[in-house]
Amino acid sequence: MGKGDKKSKRGKIANKSYGVRRPRKIRKRTPVEEKISIKGKS
């Protein structure tokens, strides 16, 4: 368990990779209703 361990979070950071232990940041998806302004909908 350390920087050489590819399965640990520290190892993933050292190896510059992602996986179960170090997931990528989840971006919040903007709803379609916000992108397209619908006047008739309330």
Side-chain angles (χ1 to χ4, degrees):
M1 297 269 241
K3 287 183 183 178
D5 186 14
K6 291 176 184 176
K7 291 197 172 191
S8 68
K9 187 175 182 179
R10 188 59 45 201
K12 295 274 180 198
I13 294 165
N15 200 31
K16 297 183 179 84
S17 65
Y18 294 90
V20 176
R21 300 281 179 190
R22 184 181 176 233
R24 287 182 175 88
K25 267 194 174 176
I26 301 162
R27 279 186 267 146
K28 287 186 177 180
R29 290 186 68 193
T30 52
V32 181
E33 288 83 24
E34 285 182 24
K35 286 183 182 179
I36 306 160
S37 58
I38 302 165
K39 292 180 182 178
K41 200 173 184 181
S42 58

